Amino acid sequence: MNETLLELTEKLLAYIEQISDKFEEVKETKVKGDFFLEVKPFADEVNGVKEEWHHLAVKWIEENKPKYLHVKQIESTSEQMELLSVQAFFPDTSRTRFINYWQSARFILTSLKDLLKGS
């Protein structure tokens, strides 16, 4: 389970970087992504990984009880990934809110990755 969870966490970290790049590109060009050609396929792809990750991460936390990582944070990160994977494609997305969600999700993913590598 730990290997699979680590792989999924690393995949989500890669997505979070793609999301950031896309957000910056869209902000610069002011061209929003085509919903059916770009947004939905990307969001669905992220969502598939996120769903499996969420399930395994919650299970891992319940079993290992890490001191500084809680189920609520996994749930928040899951929701943030869902929002970010869509909002990155729209130029009118609030930069401040986007960055706050992005940093929060990235922090939890990185924290979990570090815990998994240490265990």
Side-chain angles (χ1 to χ4, degrees), residues 52-98:
E52 191 180 350
W53 171 83
H54 180 235
H55 173 73
L56 290 176
V58 166
K59 193 172 172 186
W60 186 86
I61 286 174
E62 288 170 349
E63 287 173 9
N64 293 277
K65 298 182 181 14
K67 197 171 187 174
Y68 300 109
L69 197 58
H70 308 285
V71 170
K72 195 118 186 92
Q73 291 168 299
I74 298 300
E75 288 168 357
S76 291
T77 301
S78 194
E79 289 170 18
Q80 290 162 345
M81 287 299 296
E82 209 168 302
L83 290 169
L84 291 168
S85 66
V86 172
Q87 290 178 349
F89 289 88
F90 296 95
D92 56 345
T93 296
S94 159
R95 179 177 289 281
T96 304
R97 195 172 77 182
F98 182 89

Side-chain angles (χ1 to χ4, degrees), residues 8-9 30 32 36 38 43 47 51-52 72 81 91 95 98 109:
L8 293 171
T9 303
K30 307 245 187 291
K32 72 178 178 183
F36 292 104
E38 280 185 283
N47 205 35
E51 286 298 318
E52 191 180 350
K72 195 118 186 92
M81 287 299 296
R95 179 177 289 281
F98 182 89
L109 290 167

